[in-house]
Amino acid sequence: MATPHDLHFQEFEQAAELLSADPGASTLSAAASNTASTAAGGEDVRLEVSEDEEDQEESSELLAGQKAAGSFWTFEYYQSFFNVDTAQVLDRVKGSVMPLPGRNFIKNHLRSNPDLYGPFWICVTLVFSVVISGNLSTFLSEMENPSYHFRPQFHRAVTIAAVVIFMYAWLVPVALWGFLTWRQGAERQIGGYSFLETVCVYGYSLFIYIPTSVLWIIPFEWLRWTLILVAMGISGSVLVLTFWPVVRGDTKLMSVATVVTIVVLHTLLAVGCKMYFFHTAIHVPTTTPSPHPLHISLTTTSH
């Protein structure tokens, strides 16, 4: 009569032979497949798992893994970039126009959930506000000139404004993020900002220029330049307060140079938009040319 030890040894040999013949086969442990509990009548009850249940478990694990990984070409991959509500967007807009010392825009407003929804619509709105306000400003400044015929430069202006604003809002953050990554090194990236966070900060920092461009319609140069200085001070403070904690760990010269570059590029965008779309025409009074004097020669005749 075979002992329980012999039965376990035979089961182990059968499992080894099965695995050697088919490495992908799955086996149940002896304790799980052959464990019997003695009932009241002394009968053995065997615990078995059906093949359908095993297939369902494997399919659910496979689907869960695909969902967690995500693909670069799927819609779900980009959906997370726009996963914000109205309250979050308004809070970030408020933070971009009210910079406070010691408050970091990324840590206090993004909260590890940067988005592209706000920056995209801010850039689109800024393009149309600059173009429309610029056309209205030109019309108001030339309204008293009888020889001027107003022709709105809409299509060409929209193209130029869109190229300039979107290039600034995307290429400058790309360059800054790449530079900071290179300067900090891989071992110091834990405390740095991601690419999406950098783009998000630049996008929201442009919001202050939307109401500013509308106020540029007022045909007073001193008021326009004052508004430029105020807007640059507010938006530039958002960028400086956000990126200074990251760059201050570098050398003093490189830290100052990085911050100055950020401010200069931001200034060039504001001044360039003002000079191109809101230039004031200077009317030179035309003078009517006086007729040439008549030269009268008197001839005398001698008799």
Side-chain angles (χ1 to χ4, degrees):
M1 182 175 180
T3 62
H5 177 73
D6 295 334
L7 293 176
H8 286 295
F9 183 75
Q10 291 178 0
E11 293 172 356
F12 179 77
E13 288 182 346
Q14 292 176 358
E17 292 176 358
L18 179 61
L19 289 176
S20 63
D22 186 6
S26 60
T27 60
L28 297 177
S29 63
S33 62
N34 296 326
T35 301
S37 61
T38 304
E43 297 180 354
D44 294 338
V45 180
R46 303 179 67 85
L47 301 177
E48 297 180 354
V49 179
S50 64
E51 296 180 358
D52 295 337
E53 293 177 352
E54 291 180 0
D55 295 338
Q56 291 177 359
E57 291 178 357
E58 292 177 358
S59 300
S60 61
E61 292 177 357
L62 180 61
L63 292 175
Q66 291 178 351
K67 184 177 181 181
S71 176
F72 180 79
W73 304 105
T74 59
F75 178 77
E76 289 77 10
Y77 179 82
Y78 299 96
Q79 187 177 8
S80 61
F81 299 156
F82 298 86
N83 187 21
V84 288
D85 53 19
T86 306
Q88 290 177 327
V89 174
L90 292 178
D91 178 70
R92 295 171 184 185
V93 169
K94 180 180 177 182
S96 66
V97 297
M98 298 179 61
L100 299 176
R103 291 183 62 86
N104 190 300
F105 184 84
I106 291 179
K107 295 181 179 179
N108 292 277
H109 297 281
L110 298 186
R111 298 183 181 91
S112 301
N113 184 29
D115 69 288
L116 295 180
Y117 179 84
F120 174 77
W121 285 112
I122 287 174
C123 292
V124 172
T125 307
L126 180 60
V127 168
F128 285 97
S129 67
V130 166
V131 173
I132 295 174
S133 300
N135 278 272
L136 290 176
S137 174
T138 303
F139 173 75
L140 293 177
S141 61
E142 297 283 357
M143 190 169 52
E144 297 180 357
N145 184 9
S147 62
Y148 177 77
H149 299 283
F150 177 70
R151 295 179 180 178
Q153 303 292 328
F154 192 77
H155 298 287
R156 179 172 176 267
V158 166
T159 303
I160 296 175
V163 170
V164 172
I165 292 174
F166 275 94
M167 285 183 62
Y168 173 81
W170 288 92
L171 295 184
V172 173
V174 169
L176 179 61
W177 175 78
F179 175 76
L180 294 179
T181 303
W182 170 66
R183 290 296 300 178
Q184 293 180 354
E187 69 278 0
R188 297 176 57 189
Q189 280 301 305
I190 299 178
Y193 300 145
S194 64
F195 167 72
L196 191 59
E197 290 174 339
T198 306
V199 174
C200 189
V201 172
Y202 265 83
Y204 278 102
S205 68
L206 296 177
F207 177 81
I208 189 62
Y209 289 112
I210 296 176
T212 303
S213 62
V214 175
L215 293 177
W216 281 345
I217 299 176
I218 304 174
F220 295 107
E221 282 297 302
W222 64 268
L223 179 60
R224 292 176 177 176
W225 286 109
T226 302
L227 293 173
I228 288 179
L229 294 177
V230 173
M232 288 191 305
I234 293 176
S235 57
S237 298
V238 174
L239 298 177
V240 172
L241 293 175
T242 300
F243 291 104
W244 174 250
V246 179
V247 302
R248 66 181 178 184
D250 206 338
T251 61
K252 184 177 181 180
L253 178 61
M254 190 60 63
S255 301
V256 175
T258 303
V259 173
V260 170
T261 303
I262 293 174
V263 175
V264 168
L265 293 176
H266 206 65
T267 304
L268 289 177
L269 176 69
V271 175
C273 289
K274 192 272 173 194
M275 297 296 293
Y276 185 84
F277 295 100
F278 296 89
H279 58 276
T280 302
I282 300 176
H283 301 288
V284 178
T286 57
T287 58
T288 304
S290 58
H292 296 286
L294 297 177
H295 299 281
I296 301 174
S297 59
L298 299 177
T299 59
T300 57
T301 58
S302 57
H303 296 281

